Amino acid sequence: MKFHINPLASDIIISIYVIVTLYLRLKFENNTNASPILSIVLGICFVVIIWVLIKLKILNPNWFGLFNSKKA
């Protein structure tokens, strides 16, 4: 049995995750003299985590209804 999160909760979780990770990246860059490449690598790592959760169907984003969902 797989663990699924409903679309609205997935949208909220992804939004909070994006805001928090962006804040952490900016705070990290301000506190240290990090190179832009390090920031890009960190951003890619954060995006890969969300991408894997979506591909595993744990998160089921509806993108707040912006795109038409496929009706079976």
Side-chain angles (χ1 to χ4, degrees):
M1 178 178 206
K2 285 189 172 184
F3 182 71
H4 299 285
I5 299 176
N6 66 2
L8 181 61
S10 293
D11 290 341
I12 293 169
I13 290 170
I14 291 171
S15 298
I16 291 171
Y17 179 81
V18 167
I19 291 169
V20 168
T21 56
L22 185 60
Y23 171 76
L24 290 175
R25 281 179 57 200
L26 292 175
K27 186 174 180 181
F28 173 73
E29 287 179 12
N30 286 336
N31 290 340
T32 62
N33 290 333
S35 67
I37 303 246
L38 181 62
S39 177
I40 291 170
V41 169
L42 247 145
I44 289 171
C45 290
F46 287 141
V47 169
V48 166
I49 291 171
I50 286 293
W51 179 76
V52 167
L53 290 174
I54 291 171
K55 285 296 179 185
L56 290 175
K57 303 281 185 194
I58 293 173
L59 291 175
N60 301 305
N62 190 18
W63 309 113
F64 294 106
L66 292 176
F67 302 110
N68 293 333
S69 61
K70 295 179 183 177
K71 301 281 182 175

PDB file of all heavy atoms in Angstrom, residues 26-45:
ATOM      1  N   LEU A  26      18.913  31.584   0.400  1.00  0.00           N
ATOM      2  CA  LEU A  26      19.296  32.998   0.481  1.00  0.00           C
ATOM      3  C   LEU A  26      20.021  33.308   1.788  1.00  0.00           C
ATOM      4  O   LEU A  26      20.997  34.061   1.808  1.00  0.00           O
ATOM      5  CB  LEU A  26      18.074  33.895   0.314  1.00  0.00           C
ATOM      6  CG  LEU A  26      17.441  33.871  -1.077  1.00  0.00           C
ATOM      7  CD1 LEU A  26      16.174  34.685  -1.093  1.00  0.00           C
ATOM      8  CD2 LEU A  26      18.413  34.351  -2.128  1.00  0.00           C
ATOM      9  N   LYS A  27      19.549  32.721   2.876  1.00  0.00           N
ATOM     10  CA  LYS A  27      20.202  32.933   4.173  1.00  0.00           C
ATOM     11  C   LYS A  27      21.602  32.330   4.162  1.00  0.00           C
ATOM     12  O   LYS A  27      22.559  32.934   4.669  1.00  0.00           O
ATOM     13  CB  LYS A  27      19.360  32.318   5.282  1.00  0.00           C
ATOM     14  CG  LYS A  27      19.870  32.599   6.650  1.00  0.00           C
ATOM     15  CD  LYS A  27      18.946  32.091   7.711  1.00  0.00           C
ATOM     16  CE  LYS A  27      19.520  32.409   9.078  1.00  0.00           C
ATOM     17  NZ  LYS A  27      18.673  31.924  10.142  1.00  0.00           N
ATOM     18  N   PHE A  28      21.747  31.152   3.586  1.00  0.00           N
ATOM     19  CA  PHE A  28      23.054  30.495   3.492  1.00  0.00           C
ATOM     20  C   PHE A  28      24.022  31.329   2.662  1.00  0.00           C
ATOM     21  O   PHE A  28      25.191  31.488   3.027  1.00  0.00           O
ATOM     22  CB  PHE A  28      22.891  29.103   2.884  1.00  0.00           C
ATOM     23  CG  PHE A  28      24.182  28.402   2.586  1.00  0.00           C
ATOM     24  CD1 PHE A  28      24.952  27.888   3.612  1.00  0.00           C
ATOM     25  CD2 PHE A  28      24.628  28.266   1.275  1.00  0.00           C
ATOM     26  CE1 PHE A  28      26.146  27.244   3.348  1.00  0.00           C
ATOM     27  CE2 PHE A  28      25.815  27.626   1.000  1.00  0.00           C
ATOM     28  CZ  PHE A  28      26.583  27.118   2.034  1.00  0.00           C
ATOM     29  N   GLU A  29      23.546  31.879   1.562  1.00  0.00           N
ATOM     30  CA  GLU A  29      24.408  32.697   0.700  1.00  0.00           C
ATOM     31  C   GLU A  29      24.824  33.993   1.388  1.00  0.00           C
ATOM     32  O   GLU A  29      25.938  34.462   1.196  1.00  0.00           O
ATOM     33  CB  GLU A  29      23.708  33.016  -0.609  1.00  0.00           C
ATOM     34  CG  GLU A  29      23.611  31.838  -1.533  1.00  0.00           C
ATOM     35  CD  GLU A  29      22.884  32.168  -2.813  1.00  0.00           C
ATOM     36  OE1 GLU A  29      22.655  33.362  -3.097  1.00  0.00           O
ATOM     37  OE2 GLU A  29      22.539  31.221  -3.524  1.00  0.00           O
ATOM     38  N   ASN A  30      23.938  34.579   2.178  1.00  0.00           N
ATOM     39  CA  ASN A  30      24.281  35.823   2.872  1.00  0.00           C
ATOM     40  C   ASN A  30      25.263  35.586   4.014  1.00  0.00           C
ATOM     41  O   ASN A  30      26.107  36.428   4.288  1.00  0.00           O
ATOM     42  CB  ASN A  30      23.029  36.515   3.406  1.00  0.00           C
ATOM     43  CG  ASN A  30      22.242  37.168   2.297  1.00  0.00           C
ATOM     44  OD1 ASN A  30      22.779  37.503   1.262  1.00  0.00           O
ATOM     45  ND2 ASN A  30      20.951  37.336   2.531  1.00  0.00           N
ATOM     46  N   ASN A  31      25.137  34.449   4.706  1.00  0.00           N
ATOM     47  CA  ASN A  31      26.008  34.168   5.847  1.00  0.00           C
ATOM     48  C   ASN A  31      27.394  33.701   5.418  1.00  0.00           C
ATOM     49  O   ASN A  31      28.358  33.893   6.146  1.00  0.00           O
ATOM     50  CB  ASN A  31      25.377  33.124   6.764  1.00  0.00           C
ATOM     51  CG  ASN A  31      24.177  33.682   7.487  1.00  0.00           C
ATOM     52  OD1 ASN A  31      24.011  34.891   7.605  1.00  0.00           O
ATOM     53  ND2 ASN A  31      23.326  32.806   7.972  1.00  0.00           N
ATOM     54  N   THR A  32      27.498  33.072   4.281  1.00  0.00           N
ATOM     55  CA  THR A  32      28.784  32.603   3.781  1.00  0.00           C
ATOM     56  C   THR A  32      29.015  33.210   2.408  1.00  0.00           C
ATOM     57  O   THR A  32      28.086  33.645   1.736  1.00  0.00           O
ATOM     58  CB  THR A  32      28.811  31.067   3.653  1.00  0.00           C
ATOM     59  OG1 THR A  32      27.822  30.661   2.719  1.00  0.00           O
ATOM     60  CG2 THR A  32      28.543  30.399   4.985  1.00  0.00           C
ATOM     61  N   ASN A  33      30.238  33.237   2.006  1.00  0.00           N
ATOM     62  CA  ASN A  33      30.543  33.723   0.665  1.00  0.00           C
ATOM     63  C   ASN A  33      30.487  32.541  -0.290  1.00  0.00           C
ATOM     64  O   ASN A  33      31.507  32.090  -0.812  1.00  0.00           O
ATOM     65  CB  ASN A  33      31.915  34.399   0.639  1.00  0.00           C
ATOM     66  CG  ASN A  33      31.903  35.711   1.386  1.00  0.00           C
ATOM     67  OD1 ASN A  33      30.865  36.347   1.495  1.00  0.00           O
ATOM     68  ND2 ASN A  33      33.040  36.113   1.903  1.00  0.00           N
ATOM     69  N   ALA A  34      29.281  32.049  -0.511  1.00  0.00           N
ATOM     70  CA  ALA A  34      29.091  30.886  -1.371  1.00  0.00           C
ATOM     71  C   ALA A  34      29.110  31.315  -2.829  1.00  0.00           C
ATOM     72  O   ALA A  34      28.631  32.387  -3.193  1.00  0.00           O
ATOM     73  CB  ALA A  34      27.772  30.207  -1.044  1.00  0.00           C
ATOM     74  N   SER A  35      29.651  30.457  -3.643  1.00  0.00           N
ATOM     75  CA  SER A  35      29.701  30.748  -5.073  1.00  0.00           C
ATOM     76  C   SER A  35      28.329  30.491  -5.699  1.00  0.00           C
ATOM     77  O   SER A  35      27.515  29.743  -5.153  1.00  0.00           O
ATOM     78  CB  SER A  35      30.749  29.871  -5.750  1.00  0.00           C
ATOM     79  OG  SER A  35      30.347  28.527  -5.723  1.00  0.00           O
ATOM     80  N   PRO A  36      28.059  31.106  -6.829  1.00  0.00           N
ATOM     81  CA  PRO A  36      26.783  30.867  -7.510  1.00  0.00           C
ATOM     82  C   PRO A  36      26.597  29.404  -7.916  1.00  0.00           C
ATOM     83  O   PRO A  36      25.485  28.896  -7.916  1.00  0.00           O
ATOM     84  CB  PRO A  36      26.854  31.767  -8.734  1.00  0.00           C
ATOM     85  CG  PRO A  36      27.831  32.823  -8.393  1.00  0.00           C
ATOM     86  CD  PRO A  36      28.820  32.186  -7.468  1.00  0.00           C
ATOM     87  N   ILE A  37      27.696  28.717  -8.220  1.00  0.00           N
ATOM     88  CA  ILE A  37      27.590  27.306  -8.611  1.00  0.00           C
ATOM     89  C   ILE A  37      27.068  26.478  -7.440  1.00  0.00           C
ATOM     90  O   ILE A  37      26.239  25.592  -7.631  1.00  0.00           O
ATOM     91  CB  ILE A  37      28.970  26.777  -9.074  1.00  0.00           C
ATOM     92  CG1 ILE A  37      29.479  27.620 -10.194  1.00  0.00           C
ATOM     93  CG2 ILE A  37      28.918  25.308  -9.348  1.00  0.00           C
ATOM     94  CD1 ILE A  37      29.616  27.022 -11.527  1.00  0.00           C
ATOM     95  N   LEU A  38      27.547  26.776  -6.234  1.00  0.00           N
ATOM     96  CA  LEU A  38      27.076  26.054  -5.046  1.00  0.00           C
ATOM     97  C   LEU A  38      25.586  26.291  -4.833  1.00  0.00           C
ATOM     98  O   LEU A  38      24.835  25.374  -4.493  1.00  0.00           O
ATOM     99  CB  LEU A  38      27.868  26.484  -3.813  1.00  0.00           C
ATOM    100  CG  LEU A  38      27.497  25.800  -2.508  1.00  0.00           C
ATOM    101  CD1 LEU A  38      27.738  24.299  -2.604  1.00  0.00           C
ATOM    102  CD2 LEU A  38      28.263  26.398  -1.359  1.00  0.00           C
ATOM    103  N   SER A  39      25.135  27.512  -5.055  1.00  0.00           N
ATOM    104  CA  SER A  39      23.719  27.839  -4.922  1.00  0.00           C
ATOM    105  C   SER A  39      22.887  27.078  -5.952  1.00  0.00           C
ATOM    106  O   SER A  39      21.811  26.569  -5.631  1.00  0.00           O
ATOM    107  CB  SER A  39      23.502  29.334  -5.083  1.00  0.00           C
ATOM    108  OG  SER A  39      22.132  29.645  -5.021  1.00  0.00           O
ATOM    109  N   ILE A  40      23.386  27.001  -7.173  1.00  0.00           N
ATOM    110  CA  ILE A  40      22.664  26.273  -8.222  1.00  0.00           C
ATOM    111  C   ILE A  40      22.587  24.788  -7.889  1.00  0.00           C
ATOM    112  O   ILE A  40      21.531  24.162  -8.038  1.00  0.00           O
ATOM    113  CB  ILE A  40      23.326  26.516  -9.587  1.00  0.00           C
ATOM    114  CG1 ILE A  40      23.104  27.960 -10.022  1.00  0.00           C
ATOM    115  CG2 ILE A  40      22.791  25.552 -10.636  1.00  0.00           C
ATOM    116  CD1 ILE A  40      23.912  28.377 -11.228  1.00  0.00           C
ATOM    117  N   VAL A  41      23.678  24.217  -7.404  1.00  0.00           N
ATOM    118  CA  VAL A  41      23.691  22.796  -7.037  1.00  0.00           C
ATOM    119  C   VAL A  41      22.716  22.536  -5.897  1.00  0.00           C
ATOM    120  O   VAL A  41      21.969  21.554  -5.913  1.00  0.00           O
ATOM    121  CB  VAL A  41      25.122  22.340  -6.678  1.00  0.00           C
ATOM    122  CG1 VAL A  41      25.125  20.972  -6.040  1.00  0.00           C
ATOM    123  CG2 VAL A  41      26.008  22.359  -7.911  1.00  0.00           C
ATOM    124  N   LEU A  42      22.706  23.420  -4.900  1.00  0.00           N
ATOM    125  CA  LEU A  42      21.763  23.276  -3.786  1.00  0.00           C
ATOM    126  C   LEU A  42      20.326  23.350  -4.289  1.00  0.00           C
ATOM    127  O   LEU A  42      19.472  22.560  -3.875  1.00  0.00           O
ATOM    128  CB  LEU A  42      21.996  24.395  -2.772  1.00  0.00           C
ATOM    129  CG  LEU A  42      22.523  23.929  -1.436  1.00  0.00           C
ATOM    130  CD1 LEU A  42      23.471  24.951  -0.878  1.00  0.00           C
ATOM    131  CD2 LEU A  42      21.395  23.699  -0.510  1.00  0.00           C
ATOM    132  N   GLY A  43      20.040  24.294  -5.170  1.00  0.00           N
ATOM    133  CA  GLY A  43      18.696  24.422  -5.731  1.00  0.00           C
ATOM    134  C   GLY A  43      18.284  23.193  -6.510  1.00  0.00           C
ATOM    135  O   GLY A  43      17.145  22.732  -6.398  1.00  0.00           O
ATOM    136  N   ILE A  44      19.197  22.642  -7.292  1.00  0.00           N
ATOM    137  CA  ILE A  44      18.892  21.428  -8.055  1.00  0.00           C
ATOM    138  C   ILE A  44      18.603  20.262  -7.120  1.00  0.00           C
ATOM    139  O   ILE A  44      17.674  19.482  -7.352  1.00  0.00           O
ATOM    140  CB  ILE A  44      20.043  21.104  -9.030  1.00  0.00           C
ATOM    141  CG1 ILE A  44      20.064  22.135 -10.157  1.00  0.00           C
ATOM    142  CG2 ILE A  44      19.919  19.702  -9.600  1.00  0.00           C
ATOM    143  CD1 ILE A  44      21.275  22.052 -11.063  1.00  0.00           C
ATOM    144  N   CYS A  45      19.367  20.154  -6.032  1.00  0.00           N
ATOM    145  CA  CYS A  45      19.124  19.081  -5.062  1.00  0.00           C
ATOM    146  C   CYS A  45      17.737  19.205  -4.441  1.00  0.00           C
ATOM    147  O   CYS A  45      17.023  18.205  -4.274  1.00  0.00           O
ATOM    148  CB  CYS A  45      20.198  19.090  -3.981  1.00  0.00           C
ATOM    149  SG  CYS A  45      21.816  18.589  -4.558  1.00  0.00           S
TER     150      CYS A  45
END
